[in-house]
Amino acid sequence: MTCASCVHNIESRLMRTPGILHASVALATCKAQVKFDPEIVGPRDITQIIEGIGFQASLPKRDPSVNNLDHKEEIRQWRKSFLFSLIFGIPVICIMVYMLIAHNKHQGQSVLDRNIFPGLSIMNLLFFILCTLVQSFGGWYFYVQAYKSLKHKSTNMDVLIVLATTIAYIYSVVILIVAIAEKAEQSPETFFDTPPMLFMFIALGRWLEHIAKSKTSEALAKLISLQATEATVVTLGPNHSVVREEQVAVELVQRGDIVKVVPGGKFPVDGKVIEGTSMADESLITGEPMPVRKKPGSMVIAGSINAHGSLLVEATHVGSDTTLAQIVKLVEEAQMSKAPIQQLADKISGYFVPFIISISIVTLIGWTTVGFVNFDVILKYFPDYNKTISKTEIIIRVGFQTAITVLSIACPCALGLATPTAVMVGTGVAAQNGILIKGGEPLEMAHKINTVMFDKTGTITHGVPKVMRVLLLGDVVRMPLKRMLAVVGTAEASSEHPLGMAVAKYCKKELGTESLGYCTDFQAVPGCGIRCQVNNVERVLVQSEEGLNEQNVYNSGLTRPQEGASAPQPHSVLIGNREWMRRNGLHIASDIDEAMTAHEMKGQTAVLVAIDGALCGMIAIADTVKKEASLAVHTLKAMGVDVVLITGDNRKTAKAIATQVGIKKVFAEVLPSHKVAKVQALQREGKRVAMVGDGINDSPALARADIGIAIGTGTDVAIEAADIVLIRNDLLDVVASIHLSKRTVRRIRINFMFALIYNLLGIPIAAGVFLPVGLVLQPWMGSAAMAASSVSVVLSSLQLKCYRKPDSDRYEARAQGQMKPLNPSQISVHIGMDERRDIPMSSTWDQISFLSQASSSRNSRENSLAGDRQDKCSLLIDEADEDQYM
């Protein structure tokens, strides 16, 4: 394919074929994406249809080296064509320069102007020989392509080039024959110099254009090259000792295999480290510039590089399921897609060649008519013509010169390349910075976003509850902290509630052990709490030095069990909210209630602990806000974007989170099915909405929003529904995606400006519209302008490769002194589908606590479903363990 007209011809022919549902052809990549009904048509039929209209077609090769060879073959072909044209073009240039110098020096005829015999000068004979040779050798590729196009009743850029050169050649031969036949005293002026110059400039332009186009897909080529070709699969014996090592192709690695990765080697699969400690370079995949620490339990990504230290990795995702394979697939699809503005350009380009031919014919007829009606106009604007030439010859020459120049300067290539090259470079650069943009449409739309709606759990917050504070309420001597943690951790280890799991994890960490006591008679009451019996916590305390020290203080049943001694008594445990304690006959003092209220006002869930019938502690649990959340919100607001928080959690928690991050408008207690309605409501107000989320419940809203942005650590359902995927769990990438979209759209507009300047201004200049102001072009000038147009557009798109995503330090420097926490009175909270402002509820704090627990329970069920689906999706980077990042 040589221009956007080729794209239009292929797409229109495919769309007229029964069984083909959709066809999209990309000029920049020379690839087509076709959706078809396999019951009616198949890949072989589609290939034959494309070949039937004069193009070569084959199924794409998955091997990147083969694709690189295709690019190199195209570059080699156009370089060869340029060199052939250059061989004949250089003598033409030398003759033209000599004639210009000779005329200026002698003010008369030069040696080359002398006739060999009447009607034929030395210059015209040399031009004829050179032009005939270049028509035969230098332009053969253009003629072949133009013949194929015309044979199948279509037109493209090659048709214009061949038409211009053929007309120039035939016209020159005809007037030369006439001059020889009439034995003219002076040889006529011909256009023999036009074909060599035209072929030379166009071949040079195509050569440079293909070199530049190959650069636009470098980002994708780099991603593909990251894939390892071989892997070392090991067999482990007792104590993780390596029994056997085997070198296999990466395609043969299976899920569950243990892979050994040596220092400096590439991780061949996504997996979990089971042995070893090292640093991994993930910069080309996630955009994270700093090496990431890897230790047992850490997740690794295929294609990242192991810096030092051998690692044993259990494969969790292999082949097409790896993160790298999914990234490559998404980037390829993005580069195949078209932005809305490109679809309009392709339609225009489909009629461009016939339109230019019509303009050329009109120009020829117009100047011929003007010349015969008022010859003084010709003499006025073309004063350099030899007065010995006949009036008719001058008129015809002027008409053909302007008509050929119109054919030479017209360039649908620039119009067709303006958008796809920018989209290719933009999506590639985004992928290298950890942002996957699924095509030209979301890339173009993102810069129009004026409202960003954030989900709370897992998006603004980490999505994992964390113990924020433990407060002892009873006698420290009777119930020391370590003992209470051992009892509470043992009780909550049997709970499936996310809050209980967070408490159990915290207790294990504080105690420094993975083993706890025994729990019996466990009972969980939804919305209230748990009840159970805990045994054998003494063994847990003995395992740590702190526990042993406490034994010396606490002697009533806590001493190390002696042989033959009676077994320690079990502890009766209650953990839950106020209502749960009251149901079990426990009184809550006012100071305890106030302490719980203070934590709940911060968006934390406060639970009470009662052991053996006495209140002995309070635990505050919260889903913590991501450290970059407030900076991301501030930066978006500074860009003129409204920010909204939407969550299914209760109003108090939502309001507390909004206060921390600086969001003034909050939708709380919103059901998953109602999130779509909230998006639609904002869209009805004329807003361009971006929805940012990570869960299954967010996927309908992600799909309905103008732009759906999924967090890479989210579920595969959310990732599939979104238009943009953030590989890293970093909210600043939301800002970066909008920022990059603005840069790309600005580059597309610059490209269109280049294309329009060359066509809207170049064609009228070539047609002689601006002759009154002294602007006139020769055909070879038009060919040079046409070659420069497409090259300038591609080079303009390549400027996006210099894009650097602003880092957090730069955002923080801009926001210094401007980020101020909001007051609760500044926040507008809307409940469910109701649009009422925040009004104090008449319900008690117990009801609020119950709502919080119920909401967390609902989120737990959703996260459980999400966990099942996450296992299918490898686009996740575990950042919950902060030790992984330096």
Side-chain angles (χ1 to χ4, degrees):
M1 297 186 296
T2 57
C3 67
S5 296
C6 303
V7 172
H8 178 77
N9 293 336
I10 297 172
E11 286 183 344
S12 58
R13 178 65 183 86
L14 290 175
M15 290 303 294
R16 292 198 301 268
T17 303
I20 293 182
L21 308 176
H22 174 74
S24 176
V25 179
L27 175 62
T29 58
C30 293
K31 290 183 180 180
Q33 189 177 63
V34 184
K35 293 182 181 180
F36 58 91
D37 184 349
E39 298 293 330
I40 302 175
V41 67
R44 187 172 66 251
D45 302 319
I46 296 172
T47 302
Q48 291 173 351
I49 291 170
I50 297 174
E51 291 176 342
I53 54 177
F55 298 93
Q56 295 178 354
S58 63
L59 293 177
K61 311 294 192 304
R62 296 302 304 172
D63 186 355
S65 61
V66 175
N67 293 328
N68 290 336
L69 287 176
D70 291 341
H71 279 299
K72 292 178 180 178
E73 181 61 31
E74 290 178 354
I75 294 171
R76 191 182 304 114
Q77 174 63 54
W78 286 111
R79 182 175 66 239
K80 180 180 177 182
S81 181
F82 167 67
L83 292 176
F84 265 121
S85 302
L86 186 64
I87 291 172
F88 306 110
I90 289 178
V92 172
I93 295 173
C94 292
I95 293 172
M96 294 171 64
V97 172
Y98 170 77
M99 295 297 297
L100 181 62
I101 295 174
H103 276 287
N104 291 337
K105 184 176 181 180
H106 302 291
Q107 295 296 322
Q109 287 189 344
S110 67
V111 175
L112 296 180
D113 282 327
R114 296 174 184 174
N115 287 350
I116 301 175
F117 50 83
L120 179 63
S121 65
I122 298 175
M123 182 182 68
N124 271 336
L125 178 62
L126 292 174
F127 272 167
F128 170 74
I129 295 171
L130 292 171
C131 188
T132 303
L133 290 173
V134 79
Q135 292 282 99
S136 304
F137 297 100
W140 69 270
Y141 190 68
F142 293 96
Y143 280 93
V144 169
Q145 297 300 318
Y147 168 75
K148 289 181 179 180
S149 180
L150 293 173
K151 178 183 176 182
H152 298 94
K153 300 178 182 179
S154 61
T155 56
N156 60 14
M157 194 65 223
D158 292 317
V159 173
L160 286 181
I161 297 169
V162 168
L163 190 60
T165 55
T166 303
I167 291 174
Y169 183 77
I170 293 175
Y171 167 82
S172 301
V173 170
V174 168
I175 64 169
L176 196 59
I177 292 174
V178 171
I180 294 172
E182 294 180 351
K183 298 181 179 180
E185 294 182 3
Q186 186 168 345
S187 184
E189 295 187 28
T190 62
F191 290 134
F192 282 127
D193 60 318
T194 298
M197 302 295 286
L198 191 60
F199 284 135
M200 183 177 69
F201 281 120
I202 298 303
L204 175 61
R206 293 274 177 86
W207 179 29
L208 296 176
E209 176 189 324
H210 278 78
I211 292 175
K213 281 165 62 177
S214 68
K215 300 289 184 183
T216 61
S217 57
E218 274 188 353
L220 180 59
K222 285 181 181 178
L223 288 172
I224 295 175
S225 67
L226 292 176
Q227 179 64 61
T229 56
E230 292 185 334
T232 303
V233 178
V234 301
T235 302
L236 299 180
N239 301 322
H240 280 193
S241 60
V242 177
V243 176
R244 184 168 63 93
E245 294 185 7
E246 182 182 2
Q247 202 77 11
V248 300
V250 71
E251 294 83 4
L252 299 180
V253 179
Q254 302 178 111
R255 189 170 183 173
D257 283 347
I258 306 300
V259 179
K260 180 180 179 180
V261 185
V262 298
K266 297 177 182 176
F267 290 98
V269 294
D270 288 357
K272 182 171 67 173
V273 177
I274 61 173
E275 186 175 302
T277 303
S278 180
M279 303 293 293
D281 180 4
E282 300 175 346
S283 57
L284 287 176
I285 301 173
T286 67
E288 173 59 50
M290 299 298 294
V292 181
R293 184 185 176 197
K294 300 299 178 184
K295 61 183 181 179
S298 301
M299 303 300 296
V300 297
I301 309 172
S304 55
I305 300 173
N306 183 25
H308 58 79
S310 295
L311 295 176
L312 294 182
V313 177
E314 180 183 355
T316 58
H317 298 86
V318 298
S320 60
D321 293 331
T322 63
T323 300
L324 181 60
Q326 293 185 44
I327 291 173
V328 169
K329 179 183 177 183
L330 288 175
V331 174
E332 283 181 332
E333 291 176 351
Q335 295 186 346
M336 278 296 303
S337 67
K338 293 185 179 182
I341 192 171
Q342 176 61 27
Q343 295 170 356
L344 175 62
D346 285 348
K347 289 181 180 179
I348 295 174
S349 298
Y351 303 99
F352 189 86
V353 174
F355 172 75
I356 292 302
I357 294 174
S358 301
I359 292 296
S360 179
I361 294 172
V362 170
T363 301
L364 174 62
I365 295 173
W367 277 109
T368 303
T369 304
V370 168
F372 282 111
V373 172
N374 187 358
F375 185 69
D376 292 336
V377 175
I378 301 296
L379 294 178
K380 179 180 179 181
Y381 296 127
F382 296 91
D384 295 333
Y385 287 112
N386 196 316
K387 300 300 187 292
T388 61
I389 300 176
S390 66
K391 173 182 175 181
T392 301
E393 184 179 337
I394 293 176
I395 294 171
I396 293 176
R397 176 179 170 79
V398 169
F400 272 96
Q401 175 181 318
T402 51
I404 293 171
T405 307
V406 169
L407 293 175
S408 301
I409 201 171
C411 185
C413 302
L415 195 63
L417 292 170
T419 300
T421 53
V423 169
M424 285 183 66
V425 179
T427 52
V429 169
Q432 288 183 316
N433 284 279
I435 303 170
L436 298 183
I437 302 177
K438 298 182 181 179
E441 186 170 356
L443 184 62
E444 182 182 340
M445 175 61 71
H447 85 285
K448 300 178 182 178
I449 294 300
N450 51 28
T451 301
V452 175
M453 180 177 284
F454 284 100
D455 174 50
K456 181 183 76 68
T457 306
T459 304
I460 290 290
T461 65
H462 286 99
V464 180
K466 188 176 181 181
V467 174
M468 305 302 296
R469 185 185 181 191
V470 176
L471 180 64
L472 287 176
L473 302 178
D475 186 358
V476 178
V477 175
R478 192 186 71 83
M479 182 58 64
L481 177 62
K482 291 290 183 179
R483 184 173 186 82
M484 189 187 79
L485 292 179
V487 173
V488 171
T490 301
E492 292 289 16
S494 301
S495 173
E496 296 182 354
H497 196 285
L499 300 182
M501 294 168 65
V503 171
K505 181 179 179 181
Y506 173 82
C507 292
K508 289 178 181 179
K509 181 179 178 181
E510 290 296 313
L511 294 170
T513 180
E514 286 296 322
S515 61
L516 296 170
Y518 301 104
C519 180
T520 59
D521 300 330
F522 182 85
Q523 178 188 7
V525 180
C528 290
I530 64 170
R531 174 193 290 119
C532 65
Q533 298 289 321
V534 170
N535 298 276
N536 204 24
V537 296
E538 286 77 10
R539 180 176 57 84
V540 178
L541 297 173
V542 168
Q543 290 176 354
S544 66
E545 181 180 351
E546 293 81 2
L548 289 172
N549 292 334
E550 288 181 358
Q551 309 308 309
N552 300 325
V553 179
Y554 185 75
N555 295 315
S556 57
L558 285 182
T559 57
R560 182 187 296 269
Q562 302 294 325
E563 189 174 348
S566 59
Q569 293 298 316
H571 294 287
S572 175
V573 182
L574 293 171
I575 304 175
N577 58 16
R578 299 175 181 82
E579 178 62 25
W580 184 236
M581 297 301 162
R582 289 168 181 161
R583 286 187 190 181
N584 287 275
L586 296 175
H587 173 71
I588 302 172
S590 59
D591 56 340
I592 297 176
D593 185 79
E594 290 174 1
M596 295 181 69
T597 301
H599 284 286
E600 288 166 339
M601 291 297 290
K602 298 176 183 178
Q604 301 173 2
T605 300
V607 296
L608 295 170
V609 177
I611 300 177
D612 296 332
L615 285 175
C616 60
M618 183 197 75
I619 303 175
I621 311 164
D623 183 4
T624 56
V625 173
K626 294 177 182 176
K627 61 181 181 180
E628 78 279 2
S630 58
L631 181 59
V633 169
H634 172 80
T635 307
L636 286 171
K637 291 162 72 174
M639 294 168 61
V641 178
D642 294 332
V643 183
V644 178
L645 179 66
I646 186 166
T647 178
D649 213 337
N650 66 78
R651 60 160 51 198
K652 293 295 180 183
T653 301
K655 192 170 186 178
I657 296 297
T659 303
Q660 293 180 50
V661 299
I663 298 177
K664 293 185 177 181
K665 189 170 186 179
V666 178
F667 295 108
E669 300 175 28
V670 178
L671 297 177
S673 58
H674 292 163
K675 289 186 178 181
V676 176
K678 293 297 183 183
V679 171
Q680 292 174 323
L682 290 173
Q683 289 173 330
R684 283 194 295 269
E685 296 175 10
K687 305 284 188 180
R688 299 279 190 175
V689 181
M691 173 68 191
V692 186
D694 72 317
I696 294 175
N697 59 333
D698 298 322
S699 55
L702 290 170
R704 183 64 185 85
D706 296 288
I707 293 292
I709 303 176
I711 304 297
T713 55
T715 64
D716 60 342
V717 177
I719 291 171
E720 184 67 25
D723 302 297
I724 298 175
V725 180
L726 308 181
I727 300 177
R728 295 195 303 152
N729 195 2
D730 190 344
L731 293 180
L732 286 174
D733 284 348
V734 175
V735 181
S737 60
I738 297 175
H739 187 252
L740 179 59
S741 170
K742 291 183 177 181
R743 286 288 186 89
T744 305
V745 170
R746 185 173 67 185
R747 186 56 54 182
I748 290 173
R749 289 171 178 168
I750 292 174
N751 291 350
F752 271 111
M753 182 184 71
F754 279 126
L756 292 175
I757 286 175
Y758 281 109
N759 287 293
L760 293 183
L761 293 181
I763 293 172
I765 292 173
V769 173
F770 294 97
L771 279 175
V773 294
L775 286 177
V776 61
L777 292 177
Q778 298 293 329
W780 68 269
M781 297 178 184
S783 64
M786 176 170 63
S789 62
S790 56
V791 175
S792 63
V793 165
V794 178
L795 292 177
S796 173
S797 295
L798 287 175
Q799 294 297 313
L800 284 171
K801 290 173 68 70
C802 300
Y803 174 81
R804 294 292 180 269
K805 182 176 69 173
D807 54 21
S808 57
D809 292 338
R810 186 179 302 180
Y811 288 129
E812 287 174 358
R814 293 176 182 173
Q816 192 171 13
Q818 301 177 22
M819 294 174 57
K820 298 178 181 179
L822 297 178
N823 295 322
S825 60
Q826 295 178 276
I827 299 174
S828 170
V829 181
H830 305 265
I831 305 301
M833 291 301 294
D834 190 7
E835 294 298 320
R836 292 179 293 107
R837 288 191 176 274
D838 189 17
I839 302 172
M841 296 178 65
S842 58
S843 57
T844 65
W845 275 105
D846 303 294
Q847 291 173 318
I848 294 172
S849 180
F850 177 84
L851 285 172
S852 178
Q853 296 269 4
S855 175
S856 298
S857 178
R858 180 170 62 252
N859 288 338
S860 173
R861 293 193 297 271
E862 293 169 355
N863 290 337
S864 177
L865 289 172
D868 295 337
R869 299 195 62 90
Q870 277 182 347
D871 190 49
K872 301 178 182 178
C873 174
S874 59
L875 283 177
L876 61 94
I877 301 157
D878 186 9
E879 293 189 2
D881 188 356
E882 296 178 356
D883 290 337
Q884 289 190 16
Y885 286 83
M886 298 295 290

